[in-house]
Amino acid sequence: MKLWKAVLTWTKTRSDAPDKVQAFLEKRLPRNVSWLHTLGALLLFYIILQTLTGILMGLYYSPSPDQAHESIRYIDTQLRFGSFVHSLHHHGAAFILITAFFHLMRSFFLAAYRAPRELLWLSGLGLFLLLTLFAFTGQLLPFDQHGYWATEVGIRIASAPPVLGPYIHEFLTGGYGDIGATTISRFMILHVAVLPLLFFGLTALHLSLLQKVGSAGPLQGSPEPYHPFFPKQLLKDLLVTTLGVLLLFLVAWIFPPIDSGPADPGASGFVPRPEWYFFAHYEILRMLPSGWQLLGTFILPTAAGAALALLPFLDRKGSKLLPGKLRVTLGILTILGVTGLTTTGLIEESREKPQKNAIIGDPVTAGKKLFHTKRCTKCHSIGTEKGGDKGPNLARVARRIRSDYFKPWIRKPQSFKADTEMPNFDGSEEELDAIVRYLKTLK
Ligand code: HEC
């Protein structure tokens, strides 16, 4: 105890960190702060985890059109826990955006943007914008079909604003007009350097503002008396954060990221779709008649952003602009709208699936791709083409295996060998056919 005190005194005369921590723990919160007040802490943890998994991926990732996809496949198939870390980073993005959305809605419901929290609200809006840019720049990096085509559409949207549009387009594509080496490098540098710097700076501001003005109290009832952050709220934060992180781990474990094959700029017929958390915006774009696209790509998002930014100055305490009931109704309608549109998008996507799986072009080439996308490479190498080593190298497999034996084996290996590690094939008959045709060329 004495030693502890000595260390503390020593530190206190050299740094104000201990006082800051103490002030933080003793920070007075309005009574009845609800469970919704834990979303900020959860968000912070997701972001720390996302940074860690991002750094781990960065150790193996190579940002070039030739190697990007290959390096992600290496992470997925060769590294211990590689696929899991990739999965955590992939789904982490969705968890972060969803949590940020509800954190923002919570602040809206409680009118937490009002004086003296205007700057807190504005910095939060800035952080939200940065998060969407993280997701946008991240989806191109694996350089698979899905990310490539979604980015194609995304760049078109980003280039929509009048005047600035052409410059944005030139910046994102390096002036070449389409997605190539320069685009990957620029997205990479945005994703791992520019955005993180802005993000952590703004987060520091957001938290120091919070420390100054405190959390907004509940809607009803008098905010007095206050109680300190430690221990009750800290425990609530810890509980929600633990559950939230466990949920992310579970989802990442059950749904490994899907590899849609290396990006192929020539592939006509690939239906471009953004990640599902952008579906709400995407569905609005699809609903607009052609010729009205600028409304969806630029005018509406800008108007919505401006309205949110001006909100603290228009709807002040005592102003009649947004009476409590109207505000709550608006908030609920927004949540219902976003959820509804996202669900529509998910249903649409599941309808398009069969078409997406259709074999386009030469079945042997398609089969070769499927061999990767169906994760056969997790266990099989082919000659010098590297894959896992749980199963035999398939370099000359067509010499070993009778040709009519391929299909039943791959479809259901367990029916031949009960204790085999090889999983049953989950694809369509057409896909199986393509893979087998490809394997038969390996003599
Ligand atoms: C989890 C690991 C794993 C995955 C994933 C896997 N396999 Fe296998 N595969 C094996 C193992 C192990 C064997 C050897 C049979 C045994 O002893 O169980 C094998 C055997 C084979 C054989 C017979 C090879 C021979 O020389 O006898 C073929 C063909 C084959 N796999 C194709 C595929 C295809 C196609 C896919 C993707 C749809 C795939 N495998 C996915 C583990 C896997």
Side-chain angles (χ1 to χ4, degrees):
M1 225 37 210
K2 255 191 183 158
L3 180 68
W4 167 243
K5 265 196 179 149
V7 171
L8 199 62
T9 320
W10 189 91
T11 318
K12 270 189 178 175
T13 49
R14 287 160 182 81
S15 151
D16 51 11
D19 290 328
K20 284 246 168 81
V21 172
Q22 191 174 2
F24 182 77
L25 292 177
E26 286 171 1
K27 187 175 71 173
R28 280 148 41 101
L29 300 175
R31 187 183 275 287
N32 302 332
V33 286
S34 66
W35 284 93
L36 291 174
H37 281 79
T38 57
L39 289 176
L42 177 62
L43 196 48
L44 192 60
F45 258 83
Y46 279 150
I47 283 159
I48 293 171
L49 187 67
Q50 192 75 352
T51 312
L52 292 178
T53 51
I55 291 174
L56 287 177
M57 302 264 298
L59 296 178
Y60 291 89
Y61 175 71
S62 167
S64 79
D66 298 339
Q67 286 165 8
H69 184 258
E70 194 63 34
S71 62
I72 294 294
R73 219 173 67 206
Y74 180 83
I75 294 174
D76 284 349
T77 60
Q78 301 293 303
L79 296 178
R80 187 185 294 252
F81 299 123
S83 168
F84 185 57
V85 169
H86 180 189
S87 194
L88 279 177
H89 198 72
H90 175 81
H91 294 294
F95 275 68
I96 287 175
L97 282 173
I98 294 169
T99 313
F101 174 70
F102 282 103
H103 184 56
L104 191 146
M105 290 314 295
R106 189 277 298 176
S107 312
F108 178 77
F109 279 125
L110 298 188
Y113 45 78
R114 284 185 184 158
R117 299 190 180 80
E118 298 95 325
L119 292 177
L120 190 59
W121 170 259
L122 287 176
S123 59
L125 290 181
L127 286 169
F128 193 79
L129 179 66
L130 290 176
L131 286 178
T132 59
L133 294 178
F134 266 114
F136 173 58
T137 49
Q139 70 180 358
L140 175 68
L141 298 183
F143 216 54
D144 60 351
Q145 285 284 64
H146 180 83
Y148 181 92
W149 291 103
T151 305
E152 245 263 330
V153 179
I155 289 184
R156 255 187 278 147
I157 293 177
S159 314
V163 188
L164 279 183
Y167 294 101
I168 297 178
H169 188 263
E170 180 163 340
F171 173 70
L172 291 180
T173 59
Y176 293 105
D178 44 39
I179 302 173
T182 324
T183 315
I184 300 191
S185 302
R186 294 196 176 173
F187 272 52
M188 167 85 173
I189 207 73
L190 288 172
H191 193 76
V192 307
V194 180
L195 292 174
L197 279 174
L198 292 174
F199 190 83
F200 287 113
L202 203 51
T203 304
L205 178 69
H206 193 67
L207 292 180
S208 77
L209 289 170
L210 173 66
Q211 195 57 22
K212 167 104 179 139
V213 296
S215 304
L219 276 177
Q220 266 109 25
S222 84
E224 304 278 351
Y226 286 75
H227 72 77
F229 173 75
F230 179 84
K232 212 170 139 196
Q233 187 64 22
L234 180 68
L235 286 178
K236 271 188 182 176
D237 280 354
L238 282 180
L239 181 65
V240 170
T241 304
T242 314
L243 289 179
V245 170
L246 281 180
L247 186 65
L248 171 58
F249 272 60
L250 193 69
V251 169
W253 189 257
I254 299 177
F255 304 102
I258 296 167
D259 180 355
S260 52
D264 176 6
S268 55
F270 193 90
V271 187
R273 278 200 155 264
E275 284 297 336
W276 65 269
Y277 39 77
F278 289 137
F279 276 180
H281 186 206
Y282 182 68
E283 286 301 315
I284 294 179
L285 288 178
R286 278 163 40 114
M287 276 189 262
L288 291 172
S290 60
W292 288 75
Q293 288 300 314
L294 194 66
L295 185 66
T297 52
F298 178 65
I299 299 173
L300 280 179
T302 313
L308 286 174
L310 289 175
L311 196 56
F313 309 102
L314 299 176
D315 179 43
R316 298 168 197 242
K317 206 166 265 169
S319 99
K320 302 232 161 49
L321 182 72
L322 274 185
K325 272 196 189 128
L326 179 59
R327 193 175 60 243
V328 172
T329 317
L330 260 180
I332 291 176
L333 283 180
T334 308
I335 292 180
L336 287 181
V338 170
T339 322
L341 287 169
T342 308
T343 316
T344 318
L346 286 170
I347 294 171
E348 291 277 329
E349 187 187 44
S350 66
R351 279 211 199 115
E352 273 168 15
K353 274 254 165 74
Q355 194 196 337
K356 215 163 107 188
N357 283 351
I359 304 297
I360 304 157
D362 170 36
V364 173
T365 320
K368 187 169 182 183
K369 247 183 221 166
L370 280 166
F371 191 76
H372 297 300
T373 50
K374 290 291 174 188
R375 297 182 164 262
C376 310
T377 38
K378 210 173 106 192
C379 303
H380 294 288
S381 305
I382 294 187
T384 51
E385 210 175 305
K386 262 196 163 170
D389 53 11
K390 275 193 196 157
N393 189 311
L394 298 182
R396 299 230 171 101
V397 66
R399 289 194 186 180
R400 288 199 296 276
I401 293 189
R402 272 198 4 235
S403 61
D404 56 349
Y405 181 60
F406 271 112
K407 268 196 192 170
W409 166 263
I410 297 171
R411 178 59 82 190
K412 240 181 165 185
Q414 271 103 337
S415 62
F416 293 86
K417 189 164 180 242
D419 63 341
T420 182
E421 276 190 67
M422 180 158 152
N424 291 343
F425 187 70
D426 63 354
S428 67
E429 197 55 33
E430 207 185 354
E431 289 173 318
L432 180 57
D433 189 60
I435 292 194
V436 169
R437 286 224 213 174
Y438 163 61
L439 291 179
K440 282 185 186 167
T441 64
L442 306 172
K443 289 186 185 157

